[in-house]
Amino acid sequence: MRDVADREIRPRFRALKDGDITAKSGPNDLVTVADVEAERVLTPLLAAIEDIPVVGEEATEQDPTLPEVLGTAQAAWTVDPVDGTWNFAHGSVEYAVMVARVQDGAAQAGWILHPETGDLLHGATDAPATVRTAAGDVRAVASVADAPARPLSQLRGMMTLTFAPGPVAECLAGMTEDVAEITPPRMCAGWDYWDVLSGHLDFVMYFRAKPWDHAPGAAILRAAGFAVRHLDGAEYRPGDPGRPFLAARAQEWDALAEAIRARAGDAL
């Protein structure tokens, strides 16, 4: 991931030329030559590590059925070559490279690289959450599994209401009365998940659950003791995408989910 970022992404950072940026589904949904080239290089490298299907964001643009393999294959990779493309295209360091390994439809392991800081986040079902620096130093992320629960009024979170249905967004705008703060999204899930791991946020809620955006973060957060579930309590699975989900400390998850359901009601 570092190699590909150094060869295909970072040299283009703040150096994109005319024609290097195009829109996909809308003016805010961008793709750059860095996205395309990074995924082109990462895909065979991952397949060489383990010969399982690779579900990439850009490949899915060409074959929208590709993510279906996450629910049928025993194992698969997901790749987001440049998460936060809008940020990258506008010169913000808040972009990421993200890879996950999905096992039997569930996020088994995740890696999130912040190319401009050099930090690589990792976590898995059989490995604790860690941060590896560009220099190779590794530090453990303290687990929150045994942390005491706090009242909602003390919690800070982020909710991607931009992608919520209109009635739901209107209802959940009132969550600012239940919690300490709702912060705006960074436009990069790879940095949102870091905000949770580092303690700057206590929870995140997403409405657009594309697997390459969230399988890595879900695996890493769970390795650090967080719960990542749909509002009905079912575990988030990238092999079963499309529904909104909430990530928070397990000891606060139920209270948060109840408050969200109370606000949104039948609009969810």
Side-chain angles (χ1 to χ4, degrees):
M1 290 171 71
R2 290 189 193 278
D3 238 19
V4 173
D6 287 343
R7 283 189 286 138
E8 304 294 342
I9 301 173
R10 298 192 67 215
R12 295 178 166 105
F13 182 54
R14 297 176 179 166
L16 293 169
K17 303 172 183 176
D18 292 343
D20 285 349
I21 309 171
T22 56
K24 292 195 284 190
S25 60
N28 294 328
D29 190 9
L30 304 180
V31 61
T32 74
V33 64
D35 297 71
V36 175
E37 290 303 309
E39 185 171 312
R40 180 185 64 80
V41 176
L42 271 170
T43 296
L45 291 175
L46 290 170
I49 294 170
E50 185 177 5
D51 189 14
I52 54 179
V54 180
V55 179
E57 178 177 12
E58 306 314 324
T60 299
E61 283 294 306
Q62 305 304 315
D63 179 5
T65 68
L66 186 58
E68 295 174 8
V69 75
L70 297 173
T72 59
Q74 182 177 1
W77 298 106
T78 69
V79 177
D80 193 340
V82 181
D83 182 51
T85 300
W86 175 270
N87 294 346
F88 176 78
H90 289 81
S92 169
V93 301
E94 294 178 359
Y95 70 93
V97 181
M98 304 207 295
V99 170
R101 186 181 185 278
V102 176
Q103 178 78 39
D104 296 324
Q108 181 263 330
W111 296 262
I112 298 175
L113 173 67
H114 296 157
E116 300 305 321
T117 69
D119 287 337
L120 177 65
L121 319 181
H122 172 57
T125 54
D126 58 354
T130 59
V131 181
R132 180 183 294 271
T133 69
D137 300 320
V138 179
R139 67 179 185 274
V141 176
S143 174
V144 300
D146 297 323
R150 291 181 292 168
L152 296 188
S153 60
Q154 294 180 10
L155 304 185
R156 299 175 69 245
M158 186 283 300
M159 307 176 81
T160 56
L161 298 182
T162 302
F163 302 114
V168 173
E170 291 177 12
C171 292
L172 293 186
M175 279 294 293
T176 52
E177 299 174 8
D178 300 321
V179 298
E181 185 179 2
I182 298 292
T183 68
R186 286 192 187 239
M187 299 294 288
C188 176
W191 278 86
D192 292 335
Y193 285 116
W194 169 241
D195 285 340
V196 177
L197 281 175
S198 60
H200 292 103
L201 291 179
D202 300 301
F203 67 91
V204 288
M205 183 174 179
Y206 295 99
F207 283 85
R208 189 172 69 169
K210 294 183 178 180
W212 44 81
D213 284 334
H214 301 295
I220 297 168
L221 284 190
R222 284 173 178 150
F226 290 85
V228 187
R229 304 172 186 150
H230 298 292
L231 292 179
D232 61 2
E235 294 292 328
Y236 162 76
R237 292 166 56 86
D240 181 24
R243 292 190 290 157
F245 68 91
L246 170 68
R249 285 181 288 265
Q251 50 271 49
E252 293 154 359
W253 193 94
D254 287 334
L256 277 164
E258 183 178 350
I260 291 166
R261 290 191 298 263
R263 285 278 177 189
D266 293 338
L268 276 172

